[in-house]
């Protein structure tokens, strides 16, 4: 959208300098950063302003917490700052209500393919509740439901690489047998861009975005380490044990593992309908209906995972880099 003449207002909770890295994505004067708080409705109203289309990308994969003082020992405790309920349900509902109140032409709400009222994951349950809240407040909203997204800053393929670098072992929940069908970030962006170009065609529709193939988490781990050259200890553990470990790691500033993430990694993150059911549906579309060809992880992942190689990308080639960094024998089978 940065180069198609659209003027974009981006709500953020920091300041303009925190988001300045986005400016080169837009033509000069086409981007504006507006401070807001999700607990301050007037500030949210200012972000929306006189927009024709609103895109809600607010979400969090873990509940943020902070330390607060208490009167008794140990005098501090962890307190939830933004819960799943607030991030995934209350904020989208407020945005949808404001869009109705301010007579905004179109609303695009980005949810998740895992949204399910009966899921063991609270995140997935609140994602579903958020969809319902948006539809109730703004019935003609377009719902985008991507599968797990892979791309430069993803928390899927990068997760395996970071775990191999920072943890003594990489846990595979229930032997890593659960399936996921990841979708490339550019494909989801293309879908949203197409909706922005012709929003009236997709009013009240749901668009499911998923990749061309499914993989188990164990297969994804092997795929990542084939690229990065890392050789971590893959430990296949039952879900209760991994969940117990996550009760400790959840206190990290940016937790790599939380109890809710363990639930997600133990369930299939795949389309809920068969190809024929999608073909027959008028209200639930796919990327194929949008003319977007899904990108495979084999094509899209190398360009950002190779940075995890010991010695960098050029270590596999002869010449100066291999002679002055590490011996090439490190990479021989």
């Amino acid at each position: 959208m940065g180069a198609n003449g659209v003027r974009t207002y981006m709500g953020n909770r920091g300041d303009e300098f925190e988001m300045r890295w986005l400016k080169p994505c837009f033509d000069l004067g086409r981007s504006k950063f507006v401070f807001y708080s999700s607990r301050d409705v007037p500030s949210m109203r200012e972000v929306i302003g006189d927009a024709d289309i609103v895109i809600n990308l607010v979400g969090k994969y873990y509940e943020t917490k902070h330390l607060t003082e208490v009167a008794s020992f140990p005098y501090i405790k962890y307190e939830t700052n933004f819960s799943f309920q607030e991030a995934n349900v209350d904020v989208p509902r407020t945005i949808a209500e404001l869009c109705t109140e301010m007579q905004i032409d179109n609303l695009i709400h980005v949810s998740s393919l895992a949204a399910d009222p009966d899921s063991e994951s609270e995140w997935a349950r609140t994602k579903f509740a958020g969809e319902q809240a948006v539809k109730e407040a703004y019935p003609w909203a377009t719902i985008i439901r991507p599968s797990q997204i892979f791309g430069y800053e993803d928390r899927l393929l990068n997760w395996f690489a970071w775990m191999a670098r920072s943890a003594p072992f990489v846990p595979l929940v229930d032997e890593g047998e659960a399936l996921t069908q990841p979708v490339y970030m550019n494909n989801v962006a293309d879908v949203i861009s197409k909706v922005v170009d012709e929003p009236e065609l997709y009013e009240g529709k749901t668009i499911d975005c998923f990749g061309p193939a499914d993989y188990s988490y164990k297969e994804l781990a092997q795929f990542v380490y084939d690229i990065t050259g890392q050789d971590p200890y893959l430990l296949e553990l039952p879900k209760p044990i991994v969940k117990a470990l996550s009760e400790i790691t959840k206190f990290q500033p940016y937790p790599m593992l939380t109890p809710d993430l363990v639930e997600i990694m133990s369930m299939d993150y795949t389309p809920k309908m068969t190809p024929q059911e999608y073909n027959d549906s008028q209200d639930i579309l796919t990327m194929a209906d949008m003319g977007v060809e899904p990108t495979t992880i084999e094509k899209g992942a190398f360009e950002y995972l190779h940075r995890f190689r010991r010695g960098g990308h050029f270590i596999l080639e002869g010449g100066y880099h291999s002679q002055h960094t590490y011996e090439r024998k490190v990479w021989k089978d």
Side-chain angles (χ1 to χ4, degrees):
M1 289 185 290
N4 66 353
V6 173
R7 181 170 175 81
T8 306
Y9 290 76
M10 286 169 278
N12 68 95
R13 296 189 293 143
D15 57 31
E16 182 175 355
F17 292 101
E18 185 178 351
M19 307 300 294
R20 66 184 184 275
W21 57 274
L22 287 172
K23 283 191 173 184
C25 301
F26 292 83
D27 290 339
L28 184 63
R30 291 296 177 179
S31 63
K32 182 179 180 180
F33 304 99
V34 185
F35 173 81
Y36 85 103
S37 169
S38 59
R39 293 168 180 165
D40 179 19
V41 174
S43 70
M44 298 175 71
R45 187 178 285 110
E46 183 180 351
V47 176
I48 294 173
D50 58 352
D52 298 312
I53 301 173
V54 171
I55 304 173
N56 175 33
L57 295 169
V58 175
K60 200 72 172 177
Y61 76 97
Y62 66 96
E63 294 185 317
T64 54
K65 300 179 184 295
H66 62 273
L67 288 172
T68 57
E69 294 184 10
V70 293
S72 58
F73 185 81
Y75 306 112
I76 57 173
K77 71 171 183 177
Y78 265 103
E79 189 172 272
T80 299
N81 188 16
F82 285 95
S83 66
F84 286 133
Q85 172 68 29
E86 186 169 4
N88 296 338
V89 183
D90 297 342
V91 173
R93 179 190 290 114
T94 301
I95 293 173
E97 290 172 347
L98 287 174
C99 287
T100 300
E101 172 194 322
M102 301 173 70
Q103 299 182 0
I104 302 301
D105 292 339
N106 299 96
L107 169 62
I108 300 172
H109 173 68
V110 179
S111 181
S112 168
L113 197 64
D116 184 348
D118 301 318
S119 175
E120 295 293 326
S121 162
E122 183 182 0
W123 178 84
R125 294 195 303 272
T126 54
K127 277 294 186 181
F128 178 83
E131 289 183 18
Q132 303 309 305
V134 168
K135 291 177 181 178
E136 181 179 345
Y138 195 101
W140 53 99
T142 302
I143 308 294
I144 309 290
R145 299 194 303 195
S147 176
Q148 287 178 295
I149 295 176
F150 70 93
Y152 285 95
E153 298 181 10
D154 71 44
R155 297 189 184 95
L156 179 62
L157 303 184
N158 278 317
W159 183 88
F160 289 103
W162 279 116
M163 285 294 288
R165 176 178 286 185
S166 59
F169 62 87
V170 179
L172 295 177
V173 183
D174 291 337
E175 300 182 357
E177 292 182 347
L179 298 176
T180 182
Q181 199 159 330
V183 61
Y184 190 40
M185 61 177 188
N186 287 7
N187 296 153
V188 179
D190 288 342
V191 168
I192 294 175
S193 182
K194 286 179 178 289
V195 175
V196 169
D197 288 341
E198 298 180 291
E200 64 280 353
L201 296 181
Y202 306 104
E203 291 179 347
K205 305 290 186 182
T206 296
I207 305 171
D208 287 354
C209 304
F210 45 85
D214 57 35
Y215 307 87
S216 70
Y217 285 95
K218 186 174 183 179
E219 289 173 330
L220 286 181
Q222 294 167 341
F223 169 77
V224 170
Y225 301 137
D226 281 345
I227 292 176
T228 64
Q230 296 166 302
D231 187 25
Y233 182 49
L234 294 176
L235 190 57
E236 299 175 356
L237 295 171
K239 183 172 76 171
I241 295 179
V242 184
K243 203 165 184 180
L245 292 172
S246 70
E247 291 291 343
I248 300 173
T249 58
K250 71 180 182 181
F251 292 110
Q252 294 175 306
Y254 300 97
M256 296 291 290
L257 199 62
T258 66
D260 201 85
L261 184 58
V262 174
E263 293 290 353
I264 293 173
M265 296 175 73
S266 67
M267 68 186 193
D268 289 344
Y269 207 133
T270 53
K272 301 292 192 300
M273 299 165 58
T274 65
Q276 185 59 49
E277 289 173 332
Y278 277 119
N279 288 334
D280 295 339
S281 176
Q282 299 297 316
D283 296 324
I284 302 180
L285 309 178
T286 65
M287 295 195 304
D289 298 309
M290 311 289 291
V292 175
E293 185 72 23
T295 302
T296 64
I297 62 171
E298 291 83 1
K299 184 177 181 180
F302 176 82
E303 59 188 17
Y304 66 92
L305 286 178
H306 69 75
R307 73 184 189 276
F308 289 98
R309 287 178 172 171
R310 186 180 180 218
H313 175 50
F314 296 102
I315 196 64
L316 298 182
E317 297 298 328
Y320 177 84
H321 296 282
S322 62
Q323 294 173 6
H324 290 78
T325 311
Y326 296 100
E327 294 182 5
R328 296 192 67 195
K329 66 181 181 182
V330 171
W331 299 102
K332 290 184 178 179
D333 293 331

